[in-house]
């Protein structure tokens, strides 16, 4: 739990970053760099919407590479393997089939909250946006966004200095047959989920809303803007260069991928 | 040896380990849990290494708790969950 005086969404001028597609490895680094900038007071609290330039598998900081990923499946489909800085589970992303966003916020926004409360709090606006779109969505502890049809998305956090990184991927559409060829999803993991099949677990936003991915993002941004002041920002050259450096020296390296072999 | 344990209402905890001369070796904990600071994963692995294979759940859980830095925070698992998965791997 973090101590100190808690701030509120409206106490900040938020920055929105929504740029053209980037490579998966660069996204991993951008989360780290932007959150560290927010923690150091060099950037406003930031909401970043991701656009993916290539298909990727993203595994959690503490996941075993060999237990989670099928290397033959990755090769078969030309999928980029990445490991993120936060815990949580593996995901399979194809451009246009997911809605991924990151919040990089000062610790003060969740001061005194339990981890559980902070997950729910930081995604409360998304639950509202989903309700506005007619989806009966709710927060499913510990870190899922769920609906009557099934799971919609999952969140993960990492605490970095004075800031918290909270990022979420929601499924807009999914090729479940391909997913089970690239991720190894064991029976033990599903043991208390009330389903025996990973393919049946996810119910994507496309079938639930009939809306385009862009329309859903637009609605999410409207909901966010109704909660606090937010204006568009850019990554900037310095941030981009630092992220590219971290890709070369960390995120693209086998040492990082094999951190938990 | 390999063990998996889905914490009820929590996350998946996995362990891969060897046994040498009756003691735990090459302990590698993994899973989709959350842990701060992330480097505390090494503390857990080191804290389990060298324990006798006869260690019960209480002893294993205490070793994990003692190995964690004071500021460590676990979300979705616990020292007791790590003890369960190690016993499963050894079973």
């Amino acid at each position: 739990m973090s101590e100190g005086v808690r701030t509120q969404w409206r106490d900040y001028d938020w920055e929105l970053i929504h740029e053209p597609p980037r490579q998966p490895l660069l996204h991993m680094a951008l989360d780290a760099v932007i959150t560290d900038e927010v923690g150091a007071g060099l950037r406003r609290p930031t909401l970043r919407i991701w656009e993916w330039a290539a298909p990727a598998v993203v595994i959690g900081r503490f996941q075993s590479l060999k237990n989670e990923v099928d290397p033959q499946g990755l090769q078969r489909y030309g999928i980029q393997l990445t490991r993120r800085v936060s815990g949580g589970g593996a995901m399979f992303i194809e451009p246009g089939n997911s809605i991924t966003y990151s919040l990089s916020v000062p610790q003060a926004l969740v001061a005194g909250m339990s981890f559980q409360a902070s997950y729910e709090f930081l995604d409360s606006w998304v639950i509202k946006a989903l309700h506005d779109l007619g989806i009966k969505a709710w927060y499913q502890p510990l870190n899922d966004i769920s609906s009557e049809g099934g799971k919609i998305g999952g969140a993960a956090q990492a605490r970095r200095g004075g800031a918290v990184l909270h990022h979420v991927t929601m499924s807009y559409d999914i090729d479940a047959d391909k997913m089970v060829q690239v991720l190894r999803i064991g029976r033990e993991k599903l043991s208390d989920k009330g389903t025996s099949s990973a393919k049946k677990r996810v119910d994507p936003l496309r079938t639930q809303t009939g809306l385009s991915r862009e329309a859903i993002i637009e609605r999410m941004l409207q909901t966010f803007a109704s909660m606090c002041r937010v204006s568009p920002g850019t990554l900037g050259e310095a941030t981009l260069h630092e992220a590219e450096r971290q890709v070369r020296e960390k995120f693209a390296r086998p040492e990082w991928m094999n951190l938990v072999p | 040896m390999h063990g998996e344990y889905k914490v009820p209402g929590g996350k998946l905890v996995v362990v891969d380990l060897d046994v040498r001369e009756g003691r735990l070796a090459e302990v590698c904990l993994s899973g989709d849990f959350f842990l701060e600071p992330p480097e505390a994963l090494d503390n857990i692995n080191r804290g389990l290494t060298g324990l006798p294979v006869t260690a019960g759940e209480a002893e294993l859980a205490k070793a994990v708790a003692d190995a964690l830095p004071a500021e460590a925070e676990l979300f979705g698992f616990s020292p007791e969950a790590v003890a369960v998965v190690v016993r499963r791997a050894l079973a």
Side-chain angles (χ1 to χ4, degrees):
Chain A
M1 234 185 268
S2 340
E3 302 304 325
V5 177
R6 189 183 303 166
T7 53
Q8 300 184 40
W9 295 98
R10 62 173 182 270
D11 291 338
Y12 302 102
D13 281 307
W14 292 77
E15 180 162 320
L16 170 67
I17 296 180
H18 189 181
E19 297 205 329
R22 302 284 186 185
Q23 289 299 321
L25 286 168
L26 190 71
H27 276 307
M28 301 302 124
L30 282 171
D31 263 358
V33 174
I34 289 171
T35 305
D36 290 346
E37 288 175 351
V38 171
L42 300 170
R43 184 184 287 274
R44 294 181 284 152
T46 298
L47 168 63
R48 185 167 75 93
I49 309 285
W50 299 30
E51 299 295 339
W52 297 80
V57 160
V58 184
I59 64 172
R61 168 69 172 74
F62 308 109
Q63 287 191 298
S64 155
L65 182 57
K66 67 174 186 324
N67 286 341
E68 296 298 328
V69 177
D70 184 335
Q72 289 181 332
L74 289 188
Q75 204 170 16
R76 190 176 309 134
Y77 298 109
I79 295 166
Q80 174 71 53
L81 176 63
T82 65
R83 186 191 289 276
R84 63 177 183 268
V85 295
S86 62
M91 4 181 260
F92 167 50
I93 308 278
E94 293 182 283
N97 84 349
S98 80
I99 296 177
T100 303
Y101 57 90
S102 301
L103 285 164
S104 297
V105 311
Q107 285 264 12
L109 188 63
V110 295
M113 280 186 202
S114 66
F115 277 15
Q116 184 63 71
S118 72
Y119 273 77
E120 203 157 341
F121 171 76
L122 291 174
D123 278 333
S124 52
W125 59 283
V126 177
I127 300 289
K128 182 170 182 297
L130 292 173
H131 288 172
D132 292 347
L133 289 165
I135 300 173
K136 286 178 185 153
W138 63 84
Y139 216 77
Q140 178 76 44
L142 304 176
N143 58 322
D144 284 351
I145 295 173
S146 202
S147 72
E148 285 173 329
K151 176 173 168 172
I152 292 174
Q157 288 182 5
R159 312 266 156 156
R160 299 178 68 89
V164 179
L165 168 65
H166 176 98
H167 48 193
V168 174
T169 287
M170 297 193 293
S171 178
Y172 174 69
D173 200 355
I174 191 158
D175 185 338
D177 292 314
K178 205 185 277 185
M179 178 182 74
V180 296
Q181 291 179 62
V182 298
L183 298 182
R184 304 185 204 270
I185 301 166
R187 231 173 294 157
E188 178 68 17
K189 170 156 180 161
L190 301 170
S191 62
D192 74 341
K193 299 280 189 192
T195 174
S196 57
S197 162
K199 279 163 73 167
K200 290 186 193 142
R201 262 188 83 199
V202 174
D203 190 24
L205 290 169
R206 187 179 62 82
T207 53
Q208 293 211 44
T209 62
L211 294 172
S212 71
R213 179 178 172 279
E214 291 69 27
I216 295 171
I217 292 173
E218 185 56 38
R219 176 58 64 96
M220 288 169 58
L221 293 178
Q222 283 170 13
T223 305
F224 193 84
S226 71
M227 184 174 68
C228 52
R229 292 180 306 275
V230 55
S231 56
T234 55
L235 287 175
E237 283 304 306
T239 300
L240 206 49
H241 282 152
E242 175 58 16
E244 285 165 349
R245 187 188 70 79
Q246 291 195 16
V247 168
R248 284 193 306 274
E249 296 181 9
K250 177 175 176 178
F251 291 96
R253 293 187 69 88
E255 292 86 344
W256 175 250
M257 282 317 308
N258 286 292
L259 199 60
V260 183
Chain B
M1 294 177 194
H2 177 86
E4 300 194 2
Y5 174 51
K6 173 70 173 66
V7 181
K11 308 307 291 182
L12 181 72
V13 186
V14 181
V15 76
D16 291 274
L17 54 81
D18 290 336
V19 173
R20 278 191 219 121
E21 295 170 358
R23 293 181 180 277
L24 307 188
E26 306 292 330
V27 180
C28 180
L29 189 76
S30 64
D32 61 358
F33 50 77
F34 299 91
L35 175 63
E36 299 284 350
E39 297 76 23
L41 185 67
D42 300 330
N43 298 57
I44 296 176
N45 288 333
R46 277 198 304 270
L48 290 166
T49 300
L51 291 181
V53 292
T54 53
E57 280 186 23
E59 187 181 340
L60 292 165
K62 185 174 185 308
V64 172
D66 289 348
L68 287 168
E71 75 279 14
E73 294 187 80
L74 288 65
F75 184 49
F77 76 126
S78 62
E80 290 72 26
V82 177
V84 169
V85 78
V86 169
R87 286 311 319 168
R88 281 192 180 187
L90 292 168

